[in-house]
Amino acid sequence: PCKYGAACYSVDPEHRSRFAHPPGRRVACKWGSECYRRQLQHLEDFVHPGDRNYRIGLVIFRKGQRPDFQNSLWQLFQFYDPDESGHLSKDEFAEAVKACTMLETNIEVPPLEQAWKDAGGPAKGYVNFRQFASWTKDCLALEYPLGLDASSVSRPCRFRLKDGAQCSCAAFMPSPGSDLCECGHKPSMHRSDFAQRTMTQFLEDSRDSDTKHWVPGQEGLIKITDEELLSKLQGLLTATHKPAPDNWTRDRGCSLHGVNGCAASCASRNRQPVPSGYVLMSAYRNQNADLWQKYSLCRTAIAEECARPCKEVIHEVRDVTTSRRDLETDLDPSVNEWYLFHGSSASRCKSICSTNFRLAMAGTGATWKDPGKDSGTPLYGYGIYMAERITKP
């Protein structure tokens, strides 16, 4: 084995053939995102910014070489997420914070504990990309391109040629038998103007484009008066109602003892009847700009993940009863975006619309509980429960 082990950055063919090195790690191309070589052997031998394994712990840098984040927060975040979890642990977050000083040298970085708290890390033990991007904007005043693209926009090539001119390729077109574009450059070099937006620009655009149907100047729960929309919502209730007999769930409880009033076996024998249908009496739109922007950013990040070439996992778009529904905004089928139901009391629904879902509340709702207990173990584990059918409470 090589005496330097995983830290070896020698790319000499004789050295590589003579000494064994830990698997799964590749040497970073010294030219980074400015590399103009298109030979497949070169692309196999060296890892480049934007590659799936261009991540800390998986890439070997030559002495003096630093990571290349392709001028985007998304690439920086991906680099410090080696297990592709979509989250940064506290240690990974600490490294990402240090890397922010590579983007802007004049920023002041707070102590780690304060930064971790400000980013929301203590709540779940990790931060996602939305939290990280928000933290860089709010706490570092870092206005840097997010690097997230939309699924419906064209992606011109951003590669700079030797003479400084930008590649003339207007959109990514896969080259047969290769992961490269027909122009010879990688997918990661193709980014739209959409991806060049900073966090501030993203929030402004999502507010202006995704909330056109909102009642201007009002926040919170706004009663819907549009008869056409109310009719569509009623159609959603009707279409998602599952007919008897196979539409009972244990959360509906026992016809003799109610919910959580007896053993599950008793409730199963004496099932509470399921309504034969539902009539919509009223509906409200949650005009919470903060929650909508958080959702919009997470959806865009998921779309970026789904667009990435992947040989191990097949992304299959599925149709369910609540998918491809035309209500007020278009759903994005490229990320399996659906409408879903969540049942709760009126007071809890108002709380959710104000402050979002809280995982700490899992098991306190209609979950089956032992007598005398305030919470129970959710049927499929702790999480946020949604349903594509109105008959699932």
Side-chain angles (χ1 to χ4, degrees):
C2 173
K3 65 179 180 179
Y4 298 107
C8 176
Y9 57 83
S10 173
V11 294
D12 181 63
E14 182 179 351
H15 172 81
R16 285 280 161 180
S17 62
R18 183 178 176 186
F19 299 100
H21 297 78
R25 292 166 59 90
R26 293 167 61 195
V27 176
C29 173
K30 64 179 180 180
W31 302 111
S33 58
E34 297 180 355
C35 176
Y36 57 85
R37 299 184 64 179
R38 307 177 185 182
Q39 297 89 339
L40 293 179
Q41 188 61 50
H42 173 79
L43 299 178
E44 292 176 1
D45 291 341
F46 299 95
V47 65
H48 297 74
D51 288 352
R52 184 174 181 179
N53 56 348
Y54 192 84
R55 300 171 188 264
I56 189 170
L58 301 179
V59 57
I60 304 168
F61 294 104
R62 294 175 172 84
K63 189 174 181 179
Q65 187 179 10
R66 300 196 305 178
D68 183 345
F69 302 127
Q70 290 187 303
N71 296 328
S72 81
L73 283 178
W74 176 250
Q75 182 60 45
L76 187 153
F77 183 89
Q78 293 283 291
F79 182 83
Y80 291 104
D81 178 25
D83 54 358
E84 301 183 67
S85 65
H87 307 112
L88 298 182
S89 66
K90 188 175 182 179
D91 290 340
E92 293 165 347
F93 175 78
E95 294 299 322
V97 169
K98 294 177 185 177
C100 288
T101 60
M102 299 183 194
L103 306 181
E104 293 287 346
T105 57
N106 59 344
I107 60 175
E108 295 185 10
V109 178
L112 176 59
E113 293 300 327
Q114 184 62 47
W116 181 245
K117 179 181 179 181
D118 292 341
K124 299 179 182 178
Y126 61 79
V127 297
N128 58 28
F129 179 71
R130 192 267 308 166
Q131 292 172 306
F132 178 73
S134 298
W135 176 81
T136 62
K137 170 185 173 292
D138 297 337
C139 298
L140 300 183
L142 183 62
E143 292 289 354
Y144 215 69
L146 289 177
L148 296 177
D149 255 318
S151 59
S152 58
V153 296
S154 60
R155 306 185 184 193
C157 185
R158 303 276 174 176
F159 186 82
R160 291 289 176 180
L161 305 175
K162 289 182 178 181
D163 59 1
Q166 183 172 308
C167 177
S168 61
C169 177
F172 181 81
M173 296 293 292
S175 179
S178 171
D179 293 332
L180 300 177
C181 175
E182 290 181 346
C183 71
H185 301 128
K186 290 194 168 191
S188 60
M189 295 307 302
H190 292 74
R191 296 190 301 273
S192 69
D193 292 337
F194 189 92
Q196 299 300 103
R197 299 180 303 174
T198 65
M199 185 66 172
T200 298
Q201 293 168 333
F202 179 93
L203 296 179
E204 292 176 350
D205 289 349
S206 65
R207 180 193 61 204
D208 296 339
S209 62
D210 296 340
T211 61
K212 292 179 180 178
H213 52 280
W214 286 18
V215 178
Q218 297 189 37
E219 297 182 355
L221 294 174
I222 309 300
K223 190 170 184 177
I224 294 175
T225 57
D226 183 351
E227 292 296 332
E228 182 180 358
L229 179 56
L230 290 172
S231 177
K232 290 180 178 180
L233 291 171
Q234 175 62 62
L236 194 62
L237 300 185
T238 303
T240 62
H241 181 277
K242 188 175 183 180
D246 186 26
N247 61 359
W248 180 87
T249 59
R250 70 174 191 173
D251 294 336
R252 291 196 174 275
C254 176
S255 61
L256 302 178
H257 307 101
V259 178
N260 297 322
C262 59
S265 57
C266 178
S268 182
R269 291 193 303 270
N270 304 283
R271 298 181 173 185
Q272 180 74 22
V274 178
S276 58
Y278 291 87
V279 176
L280 181 69
M281 304 303 295
S282 61
Y284 295 80
R285 180 191 302 109
N286 185 27
Q287 295 192 178
N288 187 320
D290 180 56
L291 292 187
W292 178 254
Q293 288 169 346
K294 289 178 179 178
Y295 173 78
S296 182
L297 183 56
C298 286
R299 178 182 57 185
T300 305
I302 292 172
E304 185 74 22
E305 292 270 10
C306 293
R308 182 177 60 194
C310 182
K311 298 179 180 179
E312 292 83 8
V313 179
I314 298 177
H315 173 65
E316 179 181 357
V317 178
R318 294 181 54 199
D319 277 334
V320 296
T321 313
T322 54
S323 67
R324 302 180 188 276
R325 286 277 172 172
D326 177 23
L327 294 179
E328 288 188 310
T329 58
D330 295 331
L331 298 177
D332 187 351
S334 72
V335 294
N336 277 358
E337 188 179 25
W338 309 334
Y339 289 110
L340 294 172
F341 297 102
H342 178 80
S344 190
S345 65
S347 61
R348 287 183 174 178
C349 284
K350 290 180 180 179
S351 177
I352 291 170
C353 289
S354 176
T355 61
N356 212 345
F357 289 94
R358 288 185 292 164
L359 285 175
M361 302 298 293
T364 62
T367 299
W368 192 271
K369 308 175 184 68
D370 293 330
K373 298 292 185 180
D374 294 330
S375 63
T377 302
L379 183 60
Y380 301 109
Y382 290 92
I384 299 170
Y385 281 63
M386 307 285 188
E388 83 286 1
R389 289 187 176 276
I390 192 60
T391 44
K392 296 180 180 179

